[in-house]
Amino acid sequence: QAVKLTSSRTQLPYEYYSLPFCQPTKITYKAENLGEVLRGDRIVNTPFQVSMNVEKKCEVLCNLPNKPLTLTVEQSKLMAERIREDYYVHLIADNLPVATRLEFYSNREEEEKKKEKDVQFEHGYRLGFMDGNKFYLHNHLSFILYYHREDVEESQEPTYRVVRFEVIPQSIKLEDLKADEKSICTLPESTGSAPQEIDPSKENQLLFTYSVHWEESDIKWASRWDTYLTMSDVQIHWFSIINSVVVVFFLSGILSMIIIRTLRKDIANYNKEDDIEDTMEESGWKLVHGDVFRPPQYPMILSSLLGSGIQLFCMILIVIFVAMLGMLSPSSRGALMTTACFLFMFMGVFGGFFAGRLYRTLKGHRWKKGAFCVTDLLAVGVLQVPFPTMVALLCMWFGISLPLVYLGYYFGFRKQPYDNPVRTNQIPRQIPEQRWYMNKFVGILMAGILPFGAMFIELFFIFSAIWENQFYYLFGFLFLVFIILVVSCSQISIVMVYFQLCAEDYRWWWRTFLVSGGSAFYVLIYAVFYFVNKLDIVEFIPSLLYFGYTALMVLSFWLLTGTIGFYAAYMFVRKIYAAVKID
């Protein structure tokens, strides 16, 4: 079956029959799950005839040898255009994607060079290649299928399982393919043959041919995906993880020590009963105790953003955890996306609950409107899918997400609000003039570095998985990185809020949320860097796609990290004010 045509230069997937390939008598599309549709897979049957362990030397795919396939000028133009844009064709056999073997000599010593080749695989095969200004089409495919013979009792027939699917694409000129009436062809000697040129300015005649070769392999059926997944280095991951863990724990140690020591000193000072006169002149966070829990501006928007953050947090945590246990393997196509979509809908109940409770704490009273805000924030991502899928997503949204968010919000709003340890004064206190480094933007820049540094290498692999059609499968690493991210966001946020309260600025609600999401700013800069350095996207639409999706990712990341930081800071503030005696 054919899946799609992709190119990392244009980022626009096309379906297989958008190009004039040979078609079977009846085209049937496979029914697809939500994840496959969102990934752009359109799985369809092809006219290739492949039978288990039956060799084929060379066979013409469609059209008789004396009547070759003629591409019109329009079709030739399209074909040449797709070759120029570096398109790859993706086929699957027994649910295994086809791969092209790339052998290259690794840069070792000269003597060893003759012996050792490094083998890597790339997904799919190239549609064609360019030489100067000429376009050549890969019109002959040599399929190499590897099978594993299962052990059975002597009387039974052996069972064969397909464990690898490779292709060697070739470009062979029509005149060099000698074919007879039975559609059997003979390939020319590899040295003297000319490739099949596609001239976009005129009609082109060609034949599509293929051959099938079977080889026995020791790979067991259970581990047949390993070749596809060992495409990138695992060592880099270990190195980066250990690096991140060391940095984060080192910083955690320092931060915890400083904060705990300073806090103990502060609390001891504030709680000294006997020399009250001295304490009255104290500066620091105790002075703002009457204002620290004063509700911020726009409490509804703040609680809605935090609700969406909680929803994202729960979804990401569960998806990564389940994937880490190996339940979402790449062999079940689209499973990851489908799971993520459904989980996101169902996590609305938690998002609603937390948003509702916070809204109540912030003295809000229009809970129905607040609940609608939570659901509204994420309807944005629905607008880039085919119409039937969009209808399905909207049904999920109105049928699952909306009611659940309302349910959660209702119960959260009815629950006791968070109890704040100190009362809020009637008259707000005047805020002294702040130093330059207490500026919001400086805070965002300072707070973003640590969490971003902890996950920066993993980000590279995730970007490659999204934009360069790689498989991403290192969910164990991703889970570790996620934990590190949560820890570092919380710490940074606590430190920032402590400094802010020491400077007698009690407007911390919004600021904490914005500053904790500081790493999203770095993710945005990294995305721009990745676009310029790693991708060779030149046209307008693909760039628009890239930056549109990047904006969605950065926004989600900001919601996620901002929420983590906000809740850490809120717990911290409640803890320290509960520890001092206030008359």
Side-chain angles (χ1 to χ4, degrees), residues 53-282:
N53 221 353
V54 177
E55 299 268 327
K56 283 190 178 178
K57 276 285 186 289
C58 172
E59 195 163 296
V60 179
L61 192 53
C62 61
N63 295 53
L64 288 167
N66 48 11
K67 285 194 300 229
L69 184 69
T70 308
L71 301 184
T72 62
V73 181
E74 283 298 304
Q75 289 174 324
S76 306
K77 259 198 193 130
L78 186 68
M79 200 62 112
E81 176 72 7
R82 295 283 179 268
I83 293 173
R84 192 178 60 75
E85 291 169 341
D86 231 1
Y87 267 84
Y88 281 77
V89 183
H90 295 272
L91 306 172
I92 50 174
D94 188 28
N95 202 22
L96 272 182
V98 74
T100 314
R101 178 192 285 256
L102 300 175
E103 293 183 346
F104 47 87
Y105 297 105
S106 49
N107 37 7
R108 295 201 186 89
E109 297 304 310
E110 288 298 316
E111 294 82 56
E112 288 185 25
K113 232 181 197 178
K114 298 184 185 76
K115 298 173 229 161
E116 290 233 30
K117 286 183 186 177
D118 270 359
V119 177
Q120 267 201 336
F121 292 95
E122 63 181 8
H123 300 290
Y125 69 89
R126 277 170 189 262
L127 178 61
F129 59 94
M130 284 177 69
D131 189 7
N133 287 339
K134 294 187 171 178
F135 301 95
Y136 299 103
L137 174 73
H138 284 144
N139 57 333
H140 175 80
L141 301 180
S142 310
F143 293 123
I144 306 170
L145 289 111
Y146 293 79
Y147 63 90
H148 179 69
R149 193 190 300 227
E150 310 261 318
D151 300 327
V152 285
E153 275 113 49
E154 287 181 8
S155 54
Q156 291 175 314
E157 289 228 338
T159 322
Y160 298 107
R161 299 274 201 166
V162 180
V163 290
R164 193 195 278 175
F165 180 27
E166 285 179 23
V167 66
I168 301 173
Q170 284 165 295
S171 182
I172 302 170
K173 206 169 176 180
L174 176 64
E175 291 74 47
D176 290 356
L177 279 168
K178 302 178 182 64
D180 59 19
E181 280 65 65
K182 293 180 188 157
S183 294
I184 306 287
C185 52
T186 47
L187 292 176
E189 293 302 314
S190 54
T191 45
S193 70
Q196 171 68 53
E197 192 189 334
I198 299 285
D199 187 344
S201 58
K202 62 175 210 266
E203 290 191 351
N204 290 277
Q205 291 196 321
L206 70 148
L207 281 178
F208 281 108
T209 55
Y210 69 107
S211 61
V212 182
H213 173 59
W214 289 88
E215 284 189 27
E216 191 161 356
S217 160
D218 300 335
I219 302 171
K220 292 233 173 15
W221 193 74
S223 51
R224 64 184 196 154
W225 274 83
D226 293 3
T227 27
Y228 297 92
L229 301 182
T230 48
M231 293 191 178
S232 55
D233 284 342
V234 178
Q235 275 169 322
I236 300 177
H237 284 269
W238 275 120
F239 180 71
S240 80
I241 293 280
I242 292 168
N243 183 11
S244 309
V245 170
V246 169
V247 170
V248 166
F249 280 116
F250 179 65
L251 281 162
S252 321
I254 293 180
L255 293 181
S256 317
M257 238 166 65
I258 295 174
I259 286 276
I260 289 172
R261 278 179 57 183
T262 325
L263 272 178
R264 283 220 173 112
K265 216 163 76 189
D266 288 351
I267 291 171
N269 276 346
Y270 291 152
N271 286 348
K272 266 189 201 155
E273 294 273 310
D274 40 10
D275 40 357
I276 288 175
E277 285 71 36
D278 301 351
T279 320
M280 295 318 268
E281 271 108 64
E282 275 291 347

Side-chain angles (χ1 to χ4, degrees), residues 44-55:
V44 64
N45 60 339
T46 60
F48 295 107
Q49 298 291 324
V50 179
S51 311
M52 179 52 99
N53 221 353
V54 177
E55 299 268 327

Side-chain angles (χ1 to χ4, degrees), residues 300 303-309 311 344 348 351-352 355-356 369-379 397 401 405 409:
M300 184 189 289
S303 56
S304 303
L305 287 169
L306 288 162
S308 303
Q311 198 174 349
F344 186 73
K369 192 174 170 194
F372 194 68
C373 278
V374 180
T375 53
D376 242 11
L377 278 167
L378 294 145
W397 187 59
S401 187
V405 169
Y409 210 92

Side-chain angles (χ1 to χ4, degrees), residues 328-395:
L328 300 173
S329 80
S331 58
S332 44
R333 296 168 174 282
L336 188 74
M337 290 283 275
T338 314
T339 315
C341 282
F342 273 99
L343 264 173
F344 186 73
M345 299 291 173
F346 284 113
M347 291 302 127
V349 72
F350 294 109
F353 179 80
F354 278 94
R357 193 164 175 200
L358 188 71
Y359 186 52
R360 173 85 186 268
T361 311
L362 300 180
K363 312 271 189 291
H365 39 261
R366 295 176 302 176
W367 73 272
K368 289 181 182 132
K369 192 174 170 194
F372 194 68
C373 278
V374 180
T375 53
D376 242 11
L377 278 167
L378 294 145
V380 190
V382 175
L383 308 173
Q384 312 96 324
V385 290
F387 187 71
T389 319
M390 188 153 122
V391 173
L393 281 174
L394 283 172
C395 288

Side-chain angles (χ1 to χ4, degrees), residues 533-544:
N533 280 20
K534 293 281 188 288
L535 297 179
D536 35 4
I537 293 181
V538 278
E539 288 156 33
F540 174 68
I541 297 284
S543 311
L544 191 70

